[in-house]
Amino acid sequence: MDGGTGFPSGSDVLARIFRRVQGNARRRLRLVCRHWRQVIDTRTATSLKSRAMTLVVTVERAYVFDDLSTERCSWEMTQWPGRFWDPTKMVGSCNGIICLCDRIGNILLHNPVNHEYLAVPSLPPGYHSGTPIWHQTYSFTHDQATGRYMVVHAPGIFGGQVMVFVLGEASWRDVAVPFPTHNFKDGFLTIDSTMYWAVEGKKGKKVIMSFELDGERAPSVVPLPSSTADDSWRLTQVLGRLAIVLGTEVWVMEQLRWSRWYSLQFWRPRNQPKWHDSQHLTRPHFALGSNRVLAWQWLSTGGGCALYQYTASNDTKKARRGTVDIGGSGQGTMVAEITTAYDTFQRFDYVQTMEKLRVYKCW
């Protein structure tokens, strides 16, 4: 097993074995020795940052880009089957497991690599409010400390609780959350078992609420960063951290403090048709590493949109990671054309894994 011609190395064999081991057990195997820890961290789905690919989801198809510099997708998927139909939306992706939501709120988990599906039990009676933005009422997360995958649902009309489904358990359960009215415009997100949502209080005061799902403690308020940005704001995540887009500024939470990572400048070329809107950051994820961002714009010829990659400048006077000129002449590189008839699509980070879903079914 020395890695000679025609023979896999010991690390290759271990990686193949570890990919077939359930995620919880894989994290325990990291403790066996330094070699095993190195293989698991670099060759399996626990290493999201180093192996993440770009997943673009439209109503019609899903595209995975291993390397955006090639301008070609690595593989693509058609609309997901089963009880899901147009318009199926994606909730999120954790460790290669994709969480989907149909237009009446049913949840389906999918691993595209081994073609496994797992339909999560329906919500208890009384929670189907018929909202057209069901996917924004859900969040899908993975707690690295406990190894648990969780689907979290915030009802359209809040009654002081959210619903949580933990893979490996038999049913949904209530979690008391005495929080103020939630702003459904941008949905909510969950990072490392902490749920965040945006709130506009009295006199238009903006705050971020956080709630630890694991300990189920009382919600706390996360103060917004000091900024002179306009009223445009939305929550997002950058490289696994809580972030907020305030007008043309992107702030990221680092060690319980806000840090201004990017200063954005949007430009509209003079020869651009009026109907051809300016470029926009992709949602819900737009960061490609620490100094690159992804934006989209409708193709002037129609039939879809184009993805553009931008690199932050070295000028860090306005922001820690620099200024990003979006839409300016010669500033960005078109990396892909996406065929779609709809004006919304989603962009996520994605990794490949052989994790089996059927081991979690106990209902």
Side-chain angles (χ1 to χ4, degrees), residues 65-99:
F65 297 88
D66 187 16
D67 183 1
L68 282 172
S69 64
T70 63
E71 300 188 21
R72 297 179 60 183
C73 69
S74 303
W75 49 277
E76 59 184 85
M77 299 173 284
T78 56
Q79 188 61 275
W80 287 277
R83 53 183 178 173
F84 296 78
W85 54 89
D86 180 26
T88 299
K89 295 288 186 178
M90 184 166 162
V91 175
S93 174
C94 293
N95 294 353
I97 299 176
I98 291 175
C99 182

PDB file of all heavy atoms in Angstrom, residues 65-99:
ATOM      1  N   PHE A  65     -20.807  22.915  -9.744  1.00  0.00           N
ATOM      2  CA  PHE A  65     -19.563  23.358 -10.365  1.00  0.00           C
ATOM      3  C   PHE A  65     -18.409  23.012  -9.435  1.00  0.00           C
ATOM      4  O   PHE A  65     -18.307  23.550  -8.330  1.00  0.00           O
ATOM      5  CB  PHE A  65     -19.585  24.865 -10.619  1.00  0.00           C
ATOM      6  CG  PHE A  65     -20.645  25.310 -11.584  1.00  0.00           C
ATOM      7  CD1 PHE A  65     -21.921  25.616 -11.131  1.00  0.00           C
ATOM      8  CD2 PHE A  65     -20.382  25.412 -12.935  1.00  0.00           C
ATOM      9  CE1 PHE A  65     -22.912  26.031 -12.011  1.00  0.00           C
ATOM     10  CE2 PHE A  65     -21.353  25.825 -13.834  1.00  0.00           C
ATOM     11  CZ  PHE A  65     -22.629  26.130 -13.369  1.00  0.00           C
ATOM     12  N   ASP A  66     -17.573  22.099  -9.885  1.00  0.00           N
ATOM     13  CA  ASP A  66     -16.388  21.736  -9.099  1.00  0.00           C
ATOM     14  C   ASP A  66     -15.344  22.835  -9.191  1.00  0.00           C
ATOM     15  O   ASP A  66     -14.652  23.151  -8.220  1.00  0.00           O
ATOM     16  CB  ASP A  66     -15.825  20.406  -9.608  1.00  0.00           C
ATOM     17  CG  ASP A  66     -14.695  19.894  -8.735  1.00  0.00           C
ATOM     18  OD1 ASP A  66     -14.561  20.401  -7.608  1.00  0.00           O
ATOM     19  OD2 ASP A  66     -13.960  19.001  -9.163  1.00  0.00           O
ATOM     20  N   ASP A  67     -15.225  23.442 -10.372  1.00  0.00           N
ATOM     21  CA  ASP A  67     -14.245  24.498 -10.595  1.00  0.00           C
ATOM     22  C   ASP A  67     -14.883  25.534 -11.507  1.00  0.00           C
ATOM     23  O   ASP A  67     -15.066  25.298 -12.703  1.00  0.00           O
ATOM     24  CB  ASP A  67     -12.978  23.920 -11.230  1.00  0.00           C
ATOM     25  CG  ASP A  67     -11.891  24.962 -11.410  1.00  0.00           C
ATOM     26  OD1 ASP A  67     -12.119  26.125 -11.025  1.00  0.00           O
ATOM     27  OD2 ASP A  67     -10.821  24.618 -11.929  1.00  0.00           O
ATOM     28  N   LEU A  68     -15.209  26.693 -10.953  1.00  0.00           N
ATOM     29  CA  LEU A  68     -15.883  27.718 -11.743  1.00  0.00           C
ATOM     30  C   LEU A  68     -14.999  28.291 -12.845  1.00  0.00           C
ATOM     31  O   LEU A  68     -15.501  28.868 -13.806  1.00  0.00           O
ATOM     32  CB  LEU A  68     -16.354  28.854 -10.827  1.00  0.00           C
ATOM     33  CG  LEU A  68     -17.628  28.570 -10.018  1.00  0.00           C
ATOM     34  CD1 LEU A  68     -17.869  29.680  -9.012  1.00  0.00           C
ATOM     35  CD2 LEU A  68     -18.827  28.419 -10.929  1.00  0.00           C
ATOM     36  N   SER A  69     -13.693  28.136 -12.734  1.00  0.00           N
ATOM     37  CA  SER A  69     -12.807  28.685 -13.759  1.00  0.00           C
ATOM     38  C   SER A  69     -12.946  27.968 -15.094  1.00  0.00           C
ATOM     39  O   SER A  69     -12.541  28.482 -16.136  1.00  0.00           O
ATOM     40  CB  SER A  69     -11.351  28.615 -13.289  1.00  0.00           C
ATOM     41  OG  SER A  69     -10.935  27.267 -13.124  1.00  0.00           O
ATOM     42  N   THR A  70     -13.535  26.760 -15.097  1.00  0.00           N
ATOM     43  CA  THR A  70     -13.697  26.015 -16.345  1.00  0.00           C
ATOM     44  C   THR A  70     -14.925  26.446 -17.122  1.00  0.00           C
ATOM     45  O   THR A  70     -15.072  26.092 -18.289  1.00  0.00           O
ATOM     46  CB  THR A  70     -13.826  24.513 -16.053  1.00  0.00           C
ATOM     47  OG1 THR A  70     -15.005  24.275 -15.273  1.00  0.00           O
ATOM     48  CG2 THR A  70     -12.609  24.021 -15.284  1.00  0.00           C
ATOM     49  N   GLU A  71     -15.847  27.223 -16.480  1.00  0.00           N
ATOM     50  CA  GLU A  71     -17.080  27.694 -17.092  1.00  0.00           C
ATOM     51  C   GLU A  71     -17.999  26.548 -17.512  1.00  0.00           C
ATOM     52  O   GLU A  71     -18.887  26.715 -18.332  1.00  0.00           O
ATOM     53  CB  GLU A  71     -16.790  28.597 -18.301  1.00  0.00           C
ATOM     54  CG  GLU A  71     -15.979  29.833 -17.959  1.00  0.00           C
ATOM     55  CD  GLU A  71     -15.869  30.786 -19.127  1.00  0.00           C
ATOM     56  OE1 GLU A  71     -16.712  30.698 -20.038  1.00  0.00           O
ATOM     57  OE2 GLU A  71     -14.954  31.620 -19.120  1.00  0.00           O
ATOM     58  N   ARG A  72     -17.787  25.368 -16.967  1.00  0.00           N
ATOM     59  CA  ARG A  72     -18.654  24.231 -17.267  1.00  0.00           C
ATOM     60  C   ARG A  72     -19.016  23.537 -15.965  1.00  0.00           C
ATOM     61  O   ARG A  72     -18.175  23.359 -15.085  1.00  0.00           O
ATOM     62  CB  ARG A  72     -17.957  23.245 -18.206  1.00  0.00           C
ATOM     63  CG  ARG A  72     -17.622  23.815 -19.581  1.00  0.00           C
ATOM     64  CD  ARG A  72     -16.921  22.780 -20.442  1.00  0.00           C
ATOM     65  NE  ARG A  72     -17.755  21.604 -20.652  1.00  0.00           N
ATOM     66  CZ  ARG A  72     -17.366  20.522 -21.318  1.00  0.00           C
ATOM     67  NH1 ARG A  72     -16.135  20.466 -21.804  1.00  0.00           N
ATOM     68  NH2 ARG A  72     -18.168  19.509 -21.473  1.00  0.00           N
ATOM     69  N   CYS A  73     -20.296  23.124 -15.847  1.00  0.00           N
ATOM     70  CA  CYS A  73     -20.713  22.441 -14.628  1.00  0.00           C
ATOM     71  C   CYS A  73     -20.199  21.005 -14.638  1.00  0.00           C
ATOM     72  O   CYS A  73     -20.046  20.390 -15.689  1.00  0.00           O
ATOM     73  CB  CYS A  73     -22.234  22.471 -14.477  1.00  0.00           C
ATOM     74  SG  CYS A  73     -23.133  21.481 -15.682  1.00  0.00           S
ATOM     75  N   SER A  74     -19.894  20.493 -13.448  1.00  0.00           N
ATOM     76  CA  SER A  74     -19.381  19.136 -13.327  1.00  0.00           C
ATOM     77  C   SER A  74     -20.483  18.114 -13.563  1.00  0.00           C
ATOM     78  O   SER A  74     -20.271  17.093 -14.199  1.00  0.00           O
ATOM     79  CB  SER A  74     -18.769  18.939 -11.935  1.00  0.00           C
ATOM     80  OG  SER A  74     -17.762  19.894 -11.697  1.00  0.00           O
ATOM     81  N   TRP A  75     -21.654  18.368 -13.031  1.00  0.00           N
ATOM     82  CA  TRP A  75     -22.811  17.512 -13.268  1.00  0.00           C
ATOM     83  C   TRP A  75     -24.068  18.273 -12.900  1.00  0.00           C
ATOM     84  O   TRP A  75     -24.021  19.322 -12.272  1.00  0.00           O
ATOM     85  CB  TRP A  75     -22.725  16.197 -12.498  1.00  0.00           C
ATOM     86  CG  TRP A  75     -22.401  16.319 -11.045  1.00  0.00           C
ATOM     87  CD1 TRP A  75     -21.172  16.450 -10.478  1.00  0.00           C
ATOM     88  CD2 TRP A  75     -23.327  16.296  -9.951  1.00  0.00           C
ATOM     89  NE1 TRP A  75     -21.255  16.516  -9.122  1.00  0.00           N
ATOM     90  CE2 TRP A  75     -22.555  16.419  -8.765  1.00  0.00           C
ATOM     91  CE3 TRP A  75     -24.705  16.174  -9.858  1.00  0.00           C
ATOM     92  CZ2 TRP A  75     -23.144  16.438  -7.499  1.00  0.00           C
ATOM     93  CZ3 TRP A  75     -25.282  16.179  -8.593  1.00  0.00           C
ATOM     94  CH2 TRP A  75     -24.520  16.312  -7.438  1.00  0.00           C
ATOM     95  N   GLU A  76     -25.204  17.792 -13.342  1.00  0.00           N
ATOM     96  CA  GLU A  76     -26.460  18.469 -13.076  1.00  0.00           C
ATOM     97  C   GLU A  76     -27.555  17.460 -12.792  1.00  0.00           C
ATOM     98  O   GLU A  76     -27.451  16.280 -13.130  1.00  0.00           O
ATOM     99  CB  GLU A  76     -26.861  19.368 -14.241  1.00  0.00           C
ATOM    100  CG  GLU A  76     -27.023  18.661 -15.577  1.00  0.00           C
ATOM    101  CD  GLU A  76     -27.330  19.641 -16.702  1.00  0.00           C
ATOM    102  OE1 GLU A  76     -26.363  20.198 -17.266  1.00  0.00           O
ATOM    103  OE2 GLU A  76     -28.515  19.844 -16.986  1.00  0.00           O
ATOM    104  N   MET A  77     -28.615  17.940 -12.142  1.00  0.00           N
ATOM    105  CA  MET A  77     -29.747  17.108 -11.777  1.00  0.00           C
ATOM    106  C   MET A  77     -31.022  17.763 -12.280  1.00  0.00           C
ATOM    107  O   MET A  77     -31.144  18.988 -12.294  1.00  0.00           O
ATOM    108  CB  MET A  77     -29.822  16.953 -10.249  1.00  0.00           C
ATOM    109  CG  MET A  77     -28.618  16.286  -9.616  1.00  0.00           C
ATOM    110  SD  MET A  77     -28.702  16.325  -7.799  1.00  0.00           S
ATOM    111  CE  MET A  77     -28.262  18.045  -7.480  1.00  0.00           C
ATOM    112  N   THR A  78     -31.964  16.926 -12.689  1.00  0.00           N
ATOM    113  CA  THR A  78     -33.272  17.443 -13.060  1.00  0.00           C
ATOM    114  C   THR A  78     -34.094  17.650 -11.793  1.00  0.00           C
ATOM    115  O   THR A  78     -33.647  17.393 -10.688  1.00  0.00           O
ATOM    116  CB  THR A  78     -33.994  16.480 -14.004  1.00  0.00           C
ATOM    117  OG1 THR A  78     -34.082  15.189 -13.362  1.00  0.00           O
ATOM    118  CG2 THR A  78     -33.241  16.320 -15.302  1.00  0.00           C
ATOM    119  N   GLN A  79     -35.334  18.100 -11.969  1.00  0.00           N
ATOM    120  CA  GLN A  79     -36.212  18.324 -10.827  1.00  0.00           C
ATOM    121  C   GLN A  79     -36.329  17.058  -9.994  1.00  0.00           C
ATOM    122  O   GLN A  79     -36.395  15.960 -10.532  1.00  0.00           O
ATOM    123  CB  GLN A  79     -37.600  18.760 -11.311  1.00  0.00           C
ATOM    124  CG  GLN A  79     -38.536  19.201 -10.209  1.00  0.00           C
ATOM    125  CD  GLN A  79     -38.018  20.392  -9.440  1.00  0.00           C
ATOM    126  OE1 GLN A  79     -37.253  20.226  -8.507  1.00  0.00           O
ATOM    127  NE2 GLN A  79     -38.424  21.578  -9.824  1.00  0.00           N
ATOM    128  N   TRP A  80     -36.343  17.214  -8.673  1.00  0.00           N
ATOM    129  CA  TRP A  80     -36.375  16.060  -7.791  1.00  0.00           C
ATOM    130  C   TRP A  80     -37.721  15.348  -7.840  1.00  0.00           C
ATOM    131  O   TRP A  80     -38.777  15.979  -7.940  1.00  0.00           O
ATOM    132  CB  TRP A  80     -36.075  16.494  -6.363  1.00  0.00           C
ATOM    133  CG  TRP A  80     -34.632  16.838  -6.185  1.00  0.00           C
ATOM    134  CD1 TRP A  80     -33.615  15.980  -5.952  1.00  0.00           C
ATOM    135  CD2 TRP A  80     -34.037  18.129  -6.251  1.00  0.00           C
ATOM    136  NE1 TRP A  80     -32.411  16.649  -5.849  1.00  0.00           N
ATOM    137  CE2 TRP A  80     -32.642  17.966  -6.029  1.00  0.00           C
ATOM    138  CE3 TRP A  80     -34.537  19.419  -6.475  1.00  0.00           C
ATOM    139  CZ2 TRP A  80     -31.758  19.033  -6.016  1.00  0.00           C
ATOM    140  CZ3 TRP A  80     -33.662  20.470  -6.469  1.00  0.00           C
ATOM    141  CH2 TRP A  80     -32.285  20.272  -6.244  1.00  0.00           C
ATOM    142  N   PRO A  81     -37.726  14.002  -7.762  1.00  0.00           N
ATOM    143  CA  PRO A  81     -38.961  13.228  -7.915  1.00  0.00           C
ATOM    144  C   PRO A  81     -39.737  13.103  -6.611  1.00  0.00           C
ATOM    145  O   PRO A  81     -39.428  13.754  -5.622  1.00  0.00           O
ATOM    146  CB  PRO A  81     -38.434  11.860  -8.347  1.00  0.00           C
ATOM    147  CG  PRO A  81     -37.117  11.748  -7.630  1.00  0.00           C
ATOM    148  CD  PRO A  81     -36.550  13.139  -7.611  1.00  0.00           C
ATOM    149  N   GLY A  82     -40.735  12.209  -6.613  1.00  0.00           N
ATOM    150  CA  GLY A  82     -41.523  11.923  -5.420  1.00  0.00           C
ATOM    151  C   GLY A  82     -42.728  12.834  -5.317  1.00  0.00           C
ATOM    152  O   GLY A  82     -43.363  13.179  -6.303  1.00  0.00           O
ATOM    153  N   ARG A  83     -43.043  13.245  -4.105  1.00  0.00           N
ATOM    154  CA  ARG A  83     -44.233  14.054  -3.894  1.00  0.00           C
ATOM    155  C   ARG A  83     -43.947  15.538  -4.078  1.00  0.00           C
ATOM    156  O   ARG A  83     -44.694  16.395  -3.626  1.00  0.00           O
ATOM    157  CB  ARG A  83     -44.757  13.808  -2.480  1.00  0.00           C
ATOM    158  CG  ARG A  83     -43.719  14.004  -1.386  1.00  0.00           C
ATOM    159  CD  ARG A  83     -44.281  13.686  -0.005  1.00  0.00           C
ATOM    160  NE  ARG A  83     -43.264  13.843   1.020  1.00  0.00           N
ATOM    161  CZ  ARG A  83     -43.499  13.757   2.327  1.00  0.00           C
ATOM    162  NH1 ARG A  83     -44.723  13.518   2.741  1.00  0.00           N
ATOM    163  NH2 ARG A  83     -42.539  13.903   3.204  1.00  0.00           N
ATOM    164  N   PHE A  84     -42.811  15.841  -4.700  1.00  0.00           N
ATOM    165  CA  PHE A  84     -42.427  17.221  -4.885  1.00  0.00           C
ATOM    166  C   PHE A  84     -42.657  17.637  -6.329  1.00  0.00           C
ATOM    167  O   PHE A  84     -42.365  16.910  -7.253  1.00  0.00           O
ATOM    168  CB  PHE A  84     -40.950  17.408  -4.512  1.00  0.00           C
ATOM    169  CG  PHE A  84     -40.698  17.136  -3.069  1.00  0.00           C
ATOM    170  CD1 PHE A  84     -40.625  15.838  -2.607  1.00  0.00           C
ATOM    171  CD2 PHE A  84     -40.596  18.175  -2.176  1.00  0.00           C
ATOM    172  CE1 PHE A  84     -40.433  15.570  -1.274  1.00  0.00           C
ATOM    173  CE2 PHE A  84     -40.394  17.915  -0.839  1.00  0.00           C
ATOM    174  CZ  PHE A  84     -40.313  16.604  -0.385  1.00  0.00           C
ATOM    175  N   TRP A  85     -43.181  18.827  -6.505  1.00  0.00           N
ATOM    176  CA  TRP A  85     -43.453  19.316  -7.839  1.00  0.00           C
ATOM    177  C   TRP A  85     -43.200  20.828  -7.866  1.00  0.00           C
ATOM    178  O   TRP A  85     -42.935  21.447  -6.852  1.00  0.00           O
ATOM    179  CB  TRP A  85     -44.889  19.007  -8.264  1.00  0.00           C
ATOM    180  CG  TRP A  85     -45.919  19.507  -7.304  1.00  0.00           C
ATOM    181  CD1 TRP A  85     -46.520  20.731  -7.296  1.00  0.00           C
ATOM    182  CD2 TRP A  85     -46.470  18.805  -6.189  1.00  0.00           C
ATOM    183  NE1 TRP A  85     -47.392  20.843  -6.262  1.00  0.00           N
ATOM    184  CE2 TRP A  85     -47.394  19.679  -5.567  1.00  0.00           C
ATOM    185  CE3 TRP A  85     -46.276  17.535  -5.663  1.00  0.00           C
ATOM    186  CZ2 TRP A  85     -48.114  19.304  -4.441  1.00  0.00           C
ATOM    187  CZ3 TRP A  85     -47.003  17.181  -4.536  1.00  0.00           C
ATOM    188  CH2 TRP A  85     -47.905  18.048  -3.946  1.00  0.00           C
ATOM    189  N   ASP A  86     -43.299  21.384  -9.034  1.00  0.00           N
ATOM    190  CA  ASP A  86     -43.039  22.797  -9.242  1.00  0.00           C
ATOM    191  C   ASP A  86     -43.891  23.646  -8.294  1.00  0.00           C
ATOM    192  O   ASP A  86     -45.103  23.460  -8.224  1.00  0.00           O
ATOM    193  CB  ASP A  86     -43.376  23.133 -10.701  1.00  0.00           C
ATOM    194  CG  ASP A  86     -43.136  24.599 -11.025  1.00  0.00           C
ATOM    195  OD1 ASP A  86     -42.298  25.210 -10.361  1.00  0.00           O
ATOM    196  OD2 ASP A  86     -43.802  25.097 -11.938  1.00  0.00           O
ATOM    197  N   PRO A  87     -43.321  24.606  -7.560  1.00  0.00           N
ATOM    198  CA  PRO A  87     -41.906  24.941  -7.542  1.00  0.00           C
ATOM    199  C   PRO A  87     -41.206  24.392  -6.304  1.00  0.00           C
ATOM    200  O   PRO A  87     -41.396  24.885  -5.211  1.00  0.00           O
ATOM    201  CB  PRO A  87     -41.922  26.460  -7.519  1.00  0.00           C
ATOM    202  CG  PRO A  87     -43.173  26.799  -6.755  1.00  0.00           C
ATOM    203  CD  PRO A  87     -44.153  25.662  -6.970  1.00  0.00           C
ATOM    204  N   THR A  88     -40.415  23.353  -6.461  1.00  0.00           N
ATOM    205  CA  THR A  88     -39.615  22.826  -5.364  1.00  0.00           C
ATOM    206  C   THR A  88     -38.496  23.814  -5.036  1.00  0.00           C
ATOM    207  O   THR A  88     -37.861  24.346  -5.923  1.00  0.00           O
ATOM    208  CB  THR A  88     -39.002  21.479  -5.759  1.00  0.00           C
ATOM    209  OG1 THR A  88     -40.038  20.567  -6.044  1.00  0.00           O
ATOM    210  CG2 THR A  88     -38.158  20.911  -4.634  1.00  0.00           C
ATOM    211  N   LYS A  89     -38.270  24.040  -3.758  1.00  0.00           N
ATOM    212  CA  LYS A  89     -37.220  24.949  -3.324  1.00  0.00           C
ATOM    213  C   LYS A  89     -36.229  24.196  -2.454  1.00  0.00           C
ATOM    214  O   LYS A  89     -36.560  23.204  -1.812  1.00  0.00           O
ATOM    215  CB  LYS A  89     -37.812  26.116  -2.524  1.00  0.00           C
ATOM    216  CG  LYS A  89     -38.723  27.030  -3.321  1.00  0.00           C
ATOM    217  CD  LYS A  89     -37.941  27.874  -4.305  1.00  0.00           C
ATOM    218  CE  LYS A  89     -38.839  28.893  -4.982  1.00  0.00           C
ATOM    219  NZ  LYS A  89     -38.093  29.772  -5.914  1.00  0.00           N
ATOM    220  N   MET A  90     -35.016  24.686  -2.438  1.00  0.00           N
ATOM    221  CA  MET A  90     -33.991  24.085  -1.609  1.00  0.00           C
ATOM    222  C   MET A  90     -33.858  24.864  -0.311  1.00  0.00           C
ATOM    223  O   MET A  90     -33.799  26.097  -0.312  1.00  0.00           O
ATOM    224  CB  MET A  90     -32.663  24.066  -2.354  1.00  0.00           C
ATOM    225  CG  MET A  90     -31.563  23.354  -1.595  1.00  0.00           C
ATOM    226  SD  MET A  90     -30.157  23.015  -2.658  1.00  0.00           S
ATOM    227  CE  MET A  90     -28.885  22.706  -1.426  1.00  0.00           C
ATOM    228  N   VAL A  91     -33.828  24.141   0.807  1.00  0.00           N
ATOM    229  CA  VAL A  91     -33.676  24.760   2.117  1.00  0.00           C
ATOM    230  C   VAL A  91     -32.204  24.956   2.450  1.00  0.00           C
ATOM    231  O   VAL A  91     -31.787  26.003   2.942  1.00  0.00           O
ATOM    232  CB  VAL A  91     -34.369  23.915   3.203  1.00  0.00           C
ATOM    233  CG1 VAL A  91     -34.103  24.489   4.590  1.00  0.00           C
ATOM    234  CG2 VAL A  91     -35.861  23.826   2.936  1.00  0.00           C
ATOM    235  N   GLY A  92     -31.393  23.936   2.190  1.00  0.00           N
ATOM    236  CA  GLY A  92     -29.974  24.039   2.490  1.00  0.00           C
ATOM    237  C   GLY A  92     -29.256  22.739   2.221  1.00  0.00           C
ATOM    238  O   GLY A  92     -29.848  21.748   1.790  1.00  0.00           O
ATOM    239  N   SER A  93     -27.948  22.737   2.479  1.00  0.00           N
ATOM    240  CA  SER A  93     -27.119  21.558   2.268  1.00  0.00           C
ATOM    241  C   SER A  93     -26.108  21.464   3.398  1.00  0.00           C
ATOM    242  O   SER A  93     -25.423  22.446   3.715  1.00  0.00           O
ATOM    243  CB  SER A  93     -26.395  21.647   0.922  1.00  0.00           C
ATOM    244  OG  SER A  93     -25.487  20.578   0.760  1.00  0.00           O
ATOM    245  N   CYS A  94     -26.022  20.291   4.018  1.00  0.00           N
ATOM    246  CA  CYS A  94     -25.055  20.047   5.091  1.00  0.00           C
ATOM    247  C   CYS A  94     -24.319  18.744   4.818  1.00  0.00           C
ATOM    248  O   CYS A  94     -24.952  17.694   4.667  1.00  0.00           O
ATOM    249  CB  CYS A  94     -25.751  19.963   6.460  1.00  0.00           C
ATOM    250  SG  CYS A  94     -26.475  21.497   7.046  1.00  0.00           S
ATOM    251  N   ASN A  95     -23.006  18.798   4.741  1.00  0.00           N
ATOM    252  CA  ASN A  95     -22.182  17.597   4.577  1.00  0.00           C
ATOM    253  C   ASN A  95     -22.630  16.727   3.408  1.00  0.00           C
ATOM    254  O   ASN A  95     -22.584  15.499   3.473  1.00  0.00           O
ATOM    255  CB  ASN A  95     -22.184  16.776   5.864  1.00  0.00           C
ATOM    256  CG  ASN A  95     -21.504  17.490   7.012  1.00  0.00           C
ATOM    257  OD1 ASN A  95     -20.911  18.545   6.822  1.00  0.00           O
ATOM    258  ND2 ASN A  95     -21.594  16.936   8.200  1.00  0.00           N
ATOM    259  N   GLY A  96     -23.083  17.342   2.324  1.00  0.00           N
ATOM    260  CA  GLY A  96     -23.498  16.590   1.148  1.00  0.00           C
ATOM    261  C   GLY A  96     -24.940  16.145   1.153  1.00  0.00           C
ATOM    262  O   GLY A  96     -25.412  15.561   0.181  1.00  0.00           O
ATOM    263  N   ILE A  97     -25.675  16.395   2.223  1.00  0.00           N
ATOM    264  CA  ILE A  97     -27.098  16.070   2.292  1.00  0.00           C
ATOM    265  C   ILE A  97     -27.894  17.314   1.929  1.00  0.00           C
ATOM    266  O   ILE A  97     -27.687  18.385   2.508  1.00  0.00           O
ATOM    267  CB  ILE A  97     -27.497  15.574   3.689  1.00  0.00           C
ATOM    268  CG1 ILE A  97     -26.715  14.304   4.035  1.00  0.00           C
ATOM    269  CG2 ILE A  97     -28.991  15.305   3.768  1.00  0.00           C
ATOM    270  CD1 ILE A  97     -26.966  13.799   5.437  1.00  0.00           C
ATOM    271  N   ILE A  98     -28.791  17.175   0.961  1.00  0.00           N
ATOM    272  CA  ILE A  98     -29.597  18.289   0.480  1.00  0.00           C
ATOM    273  C   ILE A  98     -30.975  18.226   1.110  1.00  0.00           C
ATOM    274  O   ILE A  98     -31.595  17.167   1.179  1.00  0.00           O
ATOM    275  CB  ILE A  98     -29.698  18.252  -1.057  1.00  0.00           C
ATOM    276  CG1 ILE A  98     -28.332  18.578  -1.671  1.00  0.00           C
ATOM    277  CG2 ILE A  98     -30.749  19.219  -1.567  1.00  0.00           C
ATOM    278  CD1 ILE A  98     -28.304  18.448  -3.176  1.00  0.00           C
ATOM    279  N   CYS A  99     -31.461  19.371   1.570  1.00  0.00           N
ATOM    280  CA  CYS A  99     -32.792  19.481   2.172  1.00  0.00           C
ATOM    281  C   CYS A  99     -33.687  20.259   1.227  1.00  0.00           C
ATOM    282  O   CYS A  99     -33.385  21.395   0.854  1.00  0.00           O
ATOM    283  CB  CYS A  99     -32.714  20.171   3.527  1.00  0.00           C
ATOM    284  SG  CYS A  99     -34.301  20.322   4.383  1.00  0.00           S
TER     285      CYS A  99
END
